[in-house]
Amino acid sequence: MPERDDASVRRIHDAFSQRNFRRDFSRRGLHYIGLLDENGLKVPAIVSVDDLDFIRPPVICLTDPEAGSKGQVPHVLRSDGTFCYLDRKSVVLDRYKPAETIIQCLERADQVLRDAVRGRLADDLAEEFGGYWCDGEVLVDLPPSFEGDAKIHILRLDRYLEHKTIVVSHDKSRFAKLHRRNTGKDPDPGILCPVVLVPPLSFDPKQSWPPKDLAQLNAWLKKMAPNALGSIEAAFARTKDLHIQWICLSAPNGRFFVSAEIAKPYRTPEFLKNRRASISRTLDRIPAAVEISGYVGVPADEGYVFSRNLGHMKNLAGKRILLIGCGTVGGFLAQHLAQSGAGAGGGRLMLVDDDELQGANLGRHLLGAPYLTWNKAEACADFLGQQLPHLDIGFSCDSIMKQLAIMQRYDLCIDATGEEALSIALNDYAVRKRPDFPPILYTWLEGNGAAAVGFMSHDPDLACFKCLKVELAGEKRFRLLREGVEIETARNLPCGDAHYIPFPVSRAASAAGLACDMVLDWANNDERHRWRSLTMDHRTANEVKDGNPKRVVKCPACGGSA
């Protein structure tokens, strides 16, 4: 590759020379100094090329962001003057044409700069407002339309003392469970944080930004969000002793937090306590006594978390789902269901398994060594509760056969055990309880992970699980394994340990993905194909078309029912 790199560097150098940029040899690497929009605004910049594959575009830093504009412009990050001119996720740069790519980038930067200075990027400035405002982030565990009093909490979401997260919520946040788990203590009561609905927020790029004291903040609020003017002072008046106060400006272009801190010289009992009732007037007289920091809100409420990946599809919020079997396939499926919203919005995800996690399971189970000897259902519930504290997840360590009646309390039951005898028994119970019984989704792997299968049973006119193989020793209705293929089995110990079927962990995850897709289709009233398969080893498995198999008249489970 050195020859290609040398040729690329020469072409890059020629391209910069065409634009009258000169190389900066005082710095290591490819850095060029010149002017953007050299015939107009003449804004000095340094362009750094640190990726000859152009996965990352050249970095452009404006050495004087006010040149040609008499003030800051959109797309300039305030920390180091980095100029945002290209979205790397939407524009692919050509690594095979380095010279043309450099010219393309410089011309794009020229255009963005000209539009910014001429005021054509007002929408961009509002869209990127957080980049100019942010001194940090706040996890927002609030509904999108929330207005009123919330609380700021400082929580530890993991076991590391130095890791602290700012969370805003109304009443108690689900994230408080993680704080208690990691510290053994309840979170502090929190700091009052009024949430004020305001218009889209922006600022005049020619003015000093961001506000650093109360006077500057109020001058900006007076223009951009007059209804929020005085919110900081009012919040201070409503609290006791604290020298810090928060408000949230909830705008269509984001949630932006103001952290206001009384400067050290003014943190006296006279100022903080004796004059508390009149602190608003006091702060008005000496606004420089309050230092301002800005934080950007990051959505973390359950509605956002469980809907952002699904587009127009409904998630599983509000559904009551029973998952039987938390083994290799069931463990991954539990995670998929949780990430799809099962257990959110008043719903519940119930996990059932009577087996324990053993060392032999670690190579292909969702869970790892910290959960050894735990019951699998309890362990999965604990793990998912840490990852997604929003959810209502329950567990049972008993066999489902000891508690069959609970199945009728749920909207959907899933059998992910892969145990044919158990599936036959569950199917028989479900058929006998029709029509007052929820759908059951059976999911399993064929052979040594050669194919994954999902089958939804509910409609009395269509096949039940037993219809897929009427005679226990007979042929399966859908022959997925090729003729002559034998299933490999193995044992971890010479005795006292049941045989198991080896298959790669990827096959278990794929089976869980297929089952989750079917659950989401069920939640969206799309049940066009009740029987589906996914072929993963074409050497040993046939491809079978998805469909809706009909009921078999001679089926011992449902053959006599209409």
Side-chain angles (χ1 to χ4, degrees):
M1 299 299 289
E3 293 182 3
R4 186 189 73 82
D5 290 350
D6 289 343
S8 294
V9 169
R10 288 194 298 271
R11 293 171 185 169
I12 287 170
H13 182 81
D14 290 343
F16 276 114
S17 297
Q18 291 178 34
R19 284 290 309 265
N20 297 316
F21 276 72
R22 59 180 176 81
R23 186 167 178 181
D24 181 5
F25 287 99
S26 67
R27 304 170 64 189
R28 188 173 181 178
L30 292 178
H31 305 276
Y32 287 83
I33 300 173
L35 297 175
L36 294 178
D37 194 29
E38 60 181 335
N39 297 319
L41 298 172
K42 297 183 173 61
V43 176
I46 298 176
V47 184
S48 303
V49 183
D50 59 2
D51 181 9
L52 295 180
D53 293 312
F54 293 105
I55 298 170
R56 298 184 304 276
V59 176
I60 299 178
C61 288
L62 306 187
T63 56
D64 181 7
E66 296 188 4
S69 65
K70 298 180 181 179
Q72 289 178 299
V73 296
H75 299 277
V76 178
L77 303 182
R78 62 180 176 177
S79 57
D80 59 1
T82 303
F83 186 53
C84 175
Y85 66 98
L86 195 68
D87 183 356
R88 58 179 286 190
K89 294 182 179 180
S90 61
V91 177
V92 179
L93 299 177
D94 193 341
R95 69 194 298 272
Y96 296 106
K97 296 180 179 180
E100 292 88 338
T101 295
I102 292 297
I103 296 299
Q104 174 189 355
C105 290
L106 292 176
E107 289 178 348
R108 172 61 182 163
D110 290 344
Q111 186 61 51
V112 171
L113 190 64
R114 285 193 296 267
D115 287 345
V117 171
R118 293 167 184 167
R120 295 177 184 170
L121 297 182
D123 291 341
D124 287 18
L125 187 56
E127 184 177 335
E128 297 177 4
F129 181 72
Y132 301 94
W133 181 254
C134 185
D135 287 310
E137 294 181 345
V138 175
L139 285 187
V140 182
D141 189 12
L142 294 170
S145 60
F146 182 85
E147 182 180 20
D149 287 346
K151 288 287 186 72
I152 289 284
H153 298 277
I154 310 299
L155 303 181
R156 273 182 47 201
L157 304 186
D158 60 32
R159 58 190 177 89
Y160 297 104
L161 286 172
E162 66 275 16
H163 291 177
K164 295 181 180 179
T165 303
I166 305 172
V167 179
V168 64
S169 64
H170 178 57
D171 295 328
K172 291 185 178 180
S173 170
R174 294 288 184 98
F175 290 99
K177 294 190 299 186
L178 300 182
H179 183 86
R180 284 191 293 272
R181 181 189 183 98
N182 293 310
T183 66
K185 301 177 182 178
D186 286 330
D188 291 333
I191 302 172
L192 175 68
C193 180
V195 179
V196 185
L197 299 184
V198 297
L201 296 178
S202 185
F203 67 97
D204 183 348
K206 295 181 173 60
Q207 302 300 316
S208 177
W209 188 259
K212 291 299 184 184
D213 60 39
L214 188 58
Q216 294 176 3
L217 176 72
N218 283 339
W220 172 70
L221 286 175
K222 190 174 182 179
K223 294 181 180 179
M224 291 302 307
N227 62 308
L229 194 62
S231 296
I232 284 288
E233 296 90 331
F236 268 116
R238 293 172 58 193
T239 56
K240 294 181 179 181
D241 300 334
L242 292 179
H243 66 274
I244 190 169
Q245 187 55 61
W246 292 75
I247 64 168
C248 171
L249 304 174
S250 184
N253 57 327
R255 278 169 163 157
F256 306 101
F257 291 80
V258 178
S259 174
E261 189 169 6
I262 295 176
K264 285 186 178 180
Y266 299 94
R267 295 179 198 171
T268 63
E270 175 69 18
F271 197 88
L272 294 179
K273 295 183 179 180
N274 300 341
R275 298 187 184 181
R276 200 71 184 191
S278 60
I279 196 170
S280 297
R281 295 193 297 274
T282 306
L283 295 179
D284 283 341
R285 290 198 300 271
I286 45 173
V290 180
E291 299 169 351
I292 299 297
S293 299
Y295 290 76
V296 170
V298 178
D301 60 285
E302 68 175 41
Y304 178 81
V305 169
F306 301 115
S307 64
R308 68 183 302 271
N309 295 325
L310 296 178
H312 67 280
M313 292 179 65
K314 294 179 182 177
N315 62 22
L316 302 180
K319 304 294 185 183
R320 295 178 58 83
I321 298 176
L322 174 68
L323 173 60
I324 305 163
C326 297
T328 306
V329 174
F332 287 114
L333 179 54
Q335 183 179 42
H336 290 353
L337 296 173
Q339 290 177 321
S340 300
R348 183 168 175 80
L349 175 60
M350 183 67 177
L351 309 179
V352 177
D353 199 308
D354 61 355
D355 194 16
E356 291 182 351
L357 188 74
Q358 301 296 332
N361 303 133
L362 296 184
R364 65 184 190 191
H365 201 278
L366 169 72
L367 305 175
Y371 289 100
L372 281 173
T373 72
W374 281 52
N375 170 269
K376 289 178 181 177
E378 181 180 4
C380 283
D382 183 82
F383 173 77
L384 295 173
Q386 291 183 65
Q387 309 305 311
L388 299 164
H390 314 76
L391 303 179
D392 179 3
I393 303 177
F395 66 90
S396 171
C397 305
D398 283 337
S399 166
I400 187 63
M401 296 306 296
K402 296 180 181 179
Q403 47 185 337
L404 288 171
I406 71 167
M407 298 176 71
Q408 289 169 263
R409 303 174 194 168
Y410 291 86
D411 303 316
L412 174 69
C413 298
I414 305 171
D415 173 14
T417 63
E419 298 177 17
E420 186 176 1
L422 177 62
S423 300
I424 291 172
L426 294 177
N427 176 77
D428 187 76
Y429 182 76
V431 169
R432 285 189 286 109
K433 293 294 182 179
R434 285 176 178 172
D436 300 319
F437 202 85
I440 301 184
L441 171 63
Y442 303 88
T443 183
W444 69 92
L445 284 167
E446 288 277 344
N448 294 105
V453 181
F455 172 64
M456 184 83 76
S457 175
H458 181 56
D459 190 333
D461 293 327
L462 299 177
C464 74
F465 180 82
K466 187 59 180 170
C467 290
L468 301 181
K469 193 170 73 169
V470 175
E471 296 292 337
L472 191 60
E475 290 290 328
K476 293 183 178 180
R477 188 163 177 177
F478 301 103
R479 180 180 288 278
L480 278 164
L481 294 184
R482 293 183 183 274
E483 191 74 34
V485 171
E486 294 186 2
I487 300 175
E488 177 188 352
T489 62
R491 244 183 186 177
N492 293 308
L493 299 173
C495 64
D497 186 42
H499 283 84
Y500 70 94
I501 298 176
F503 54 81
V505 64
S506 57
R507 308 293 169 83
S510 296
L514 173 65
C516 186
D517 284 343
M518 294 183 71
V519 174
L520 286 169
D521 285 345
W522 162 79
N524 285 270
N525 299 314
D526 180 359
E527 298 180 13
R528 283 172 291 179
H529 295 144
R530 312 289 180 94
W531 191 96
R532 304 183 196 180
S533 66
L534 177 63
T535 303
M536 292 176 282
D537 185 351
H538 292 271
R539 297 169 302 170
T540 60
N542 299 305
E543 289 193 29
V544 177
K545 188 177 180 181
D546 296 345
N548 291 308
K550 297 293 185 182
R551 182 169 62 90
V552 175
V553 176
K554 295 181 180 181
C555 172
C558 72
S561 60

